[in-house]
Amino acid sequence: MKFSYEIAIAGIGATEFSKDSGRTPMQLAVECCAAACEDAGLPPSEVNGMVVFSAENNPEIEVARNLGISELTHFSMVHHGGGAACGVIALAAQAIYSGAADYVLCYRAFNERSWHRFGSGVQDRPAGAEAEVVSFSWSTPFGLVSPASWVAMFATRYMHEFGATSEDFGRVSVVDRQHAANNPAAYFYERPITLEDHQASRMIVDPLRLLDCCQETDGGQALLITSAQRARDLKQKPAVLAAAAQGASEDQHMMRSYYRDSIVGIPEMGLCARQLWQMSQLGPDDIDVGIIYDHFTPLVLPQLEEFGFCDRGEAKDFIADGNLTLNGSLPFNTHGGQLGEAYLHGMNGIAEGVRQIRGTSVNQVDSAANILVTAGTAVPTSALILSQDNH
Amino acid sequence: MSDLLTQLRSGIGIVGPAQQAPDPVNIPMIRHWCEAMGEGNPNYLDEESAEHGPHGEIVAPPAMLNAWTMPGVRIKHEEMGNPPLPKNLSAESEGEDAESYSQTLSLLDAAGYIGVVATNSEHVYHRYLRLGERIEGRQKLVDVSEEKQTALGIGHFVTTETEYQTTEGDPVGSMFFRILKFKPYTGRDTGQGRGDTGPDSGSGRGDNAGGAAAPNAPPPQLQRPKPSMNPDTQFFWEGAANKELRIQQCNNCLRLQHPPGVRCPACGSMDLGWIVASGKGTLYSHCQVHYPPLPAFKQPPIVGLVELEEGTRLVSNITDCSYGQVKVGMDLQVWFHKDPQGFSLPLFRPARRPRREQTLLLEEVKVGDEMPLCPIPLTPTAIVATAIATRDYQDVHHDRDLAHEKGSKDIFMNILSSSGLASRYVNDWAGPDAMFKNLKIRLGAPNHPYDCMTMSGKVTAIENHADDGSSADVTVEFAGINSLGPHITGSAVLSVPAAPRR
């Protein structure tokens, strides 16, 4: 697609990440959006586009009113929870590239720990006759009600087919926490874990242990998108969008695509990968940092395989060989990921990609040129590549 | 020692007079027993097959040992307005025979220990019984325990040993047997209602449904999440209510799909119907949900992705086994859960593997081998039919009102049936010509109706190889677990042949 290398992330802004923000999600949303504008050096009133998750409960028009945005010429939403993370950026890029908007804010803000807890799942969701509610009925009456449980079903099959173990999942968690330990913004700052800690953590949904699961976070994260050209006139070094794409594949279901011939891969992420490589003209060897969506550790493994960092079924060895650490071939989740830093539906990962391009990460990878960021797995998803501005 | 205990123990060591089986070993009783137990070993009923078997003729299932001498119906015939029965047909006539034992039981009844459950049965078989042989047992009281607090109630364990021989004096086997006589509603778990709780309080066993959730946890949902349905999916739920597992099928190209849709993605037809699945499947993947807490489930639910033999998959619960017994690829069989909220769900339990027709040979078995899981649904019919087939007319095995009165929430399976079902389980695994040398069981949680007991087992020893190498003794240990916990644990020693015995 032609917006490759023409669009950039110009500003990032976040609140603190906590378990009890003490204020409303609307306040968090407005704070992080204002911070993103300030980071970019752009008055919020200049913003004329907003793209958010359909899961977002702070309407863009209310956030706009609070920010003093007078006119919006593009506003849209992306569905499917964390799968929307890079999708909102892709949609913003298309809006900007087509001329529908000049400066677009994307944000995600919630009190997901102190208000409604995400981990409690959908068991108390009211009954209804609409297709989405009805689709949950193929799993919820049996106790499969939470994101962890939906992922666990994939994890068991992956373990069965490839001989992966709980420890292989644990190594992902250990790297996340190791990187978070260096990150003052991370909830788990200065609190690394060992594989033994992981193995000793309690079962949430067997085979997933507590330390396989991302946090539940109170907080907000916003990103300001504009053309690469306009970004060059703003305060920060532009993080150029080499590519961004969405993907939904055959027989796709929300978190429960259990009915395909094989369930050990993530074909919708493979679809994103194909588009990213094609749009960016890059390949796995060009990627310097991988910000890989880690709501639950088991699905990190097939993502590495879908992007071609290793062969099918070999991610466990790729990880065990240390490739995800700062000295490895694919430094991973340098902010600490959603297990270590915060769970902001992947938006905080995109911000970390921007910091790696700017050279301001707490776990900076030397001369990082291309950063892969992925969005939620097991759902219709999205991914993007951020690159240095070579203009 | 209390006066009562002194009295109770006065009969210890005394061997009662012979209790003679009212009937010789016969086909009708064997047939009744095999039908009730689901036993299909041809050596017990199929004359032609048995002739070519290791016994050369029909033999009785060894686990029937003490069924032959059971006293039968204890209705006082005269109370029904009938003239007295001849002595040899009257259950009452046996009262004087087993003097010390029955005296002990009468003393316990008089002292308020009117509840009774059998807890242990250990059979040793010297040989199999042939048609026409009549046996008699001589029972010896060997122990009466101190008063003990048990889950069921306060009571005494009474232990006996019985030697069995034919009326010709040929010893055929022996039995170690223990019962608990207890005071109803004095159980450990009956709490404040001790002694005066109604029948609905159950047998005193705790039911952990509705257990308190951790503070700050999401509010517990006390019932299963209810399925939402609409006209596109209603056929599936209506099927479940009719005990049918339905799969959507395209009426044009016959393609199956689940979850259902509104159009066939293969041929484009919107003319969709359904077929009824066989209910057989294998496990494709699984997990066990520990969090969030789901009090609608007694245990953290085991959720399976089941691949039906028709080819489609569906999410369901795997029931009647522990998570450790759940394996990808295991064979499953559907059953239907009727939820109190009014809907039905297709659930799956381990499938019962068919009886082995070719007897296991020594070279095919090694220590550590796991026996297949075998669920035994506990219908009221199964509990009553097996009790009668073992000639056990104790009211607690067929009369719910009297079971309540004696401290149980419902009727429960008798020990001879548990023993019989265990023997069937072992026999199904080992094949018809493996021969039981003993069968030892111990009972725990009762088998009540509407539950399911799942048998599991493994080989723990292979020893006593015959000098000519023709056989060896294989020890198996087994357990039968129901929703309350282990109902039966035990072991059996089988003589397993090195080469086919027929």
Side-chain angles (χ1 to χ4, degrees), chain B residues 33 88 450:
Chain B
W33 190 94
N88 65 337
Y450 309 108

Side-chain angles (χ1 to χ4, degrees), chain A residues 49 57 79 175 256:
Chain A
N57 288 319
H79 202 33
V175 175
R256 299 172 309 276

Side-chain angles (χ1 to χ4, degrees), chain B residues 409-451:
Chain B
K409 72 168 183 182
D410 203 334
I411 59 168
F412 57 90
M413 183 172 278
N414 67 325
I415 193 166
L416 281 81
S417 298
S418 304
S419 193
L421 289 169
S423 79
R424 181 204 91 188
Y425 171 64
V426 174
N427 219 334
D428 280 358
W429 167 78
D433 298 341
M435 285 189 269
F436 282 89
K437 292 194 150 183
N438 68 38
L439 178 64
K440 302 177 178 182
I441 67 164
R442 181 193 164 103
L443 298 192
N447 266 351
H448 289 303
Y450 309 108
D451 203 340

Side-chain angles (χ1 to χ4, degrees), chain A residues 82-103:
Chain A
C86 301
V88 293
I89 308 298
L91 213 57
Q94 288 166 31
I96 293 161
Y97 190 72
S98 72
D102 303 317
Y103 299 99

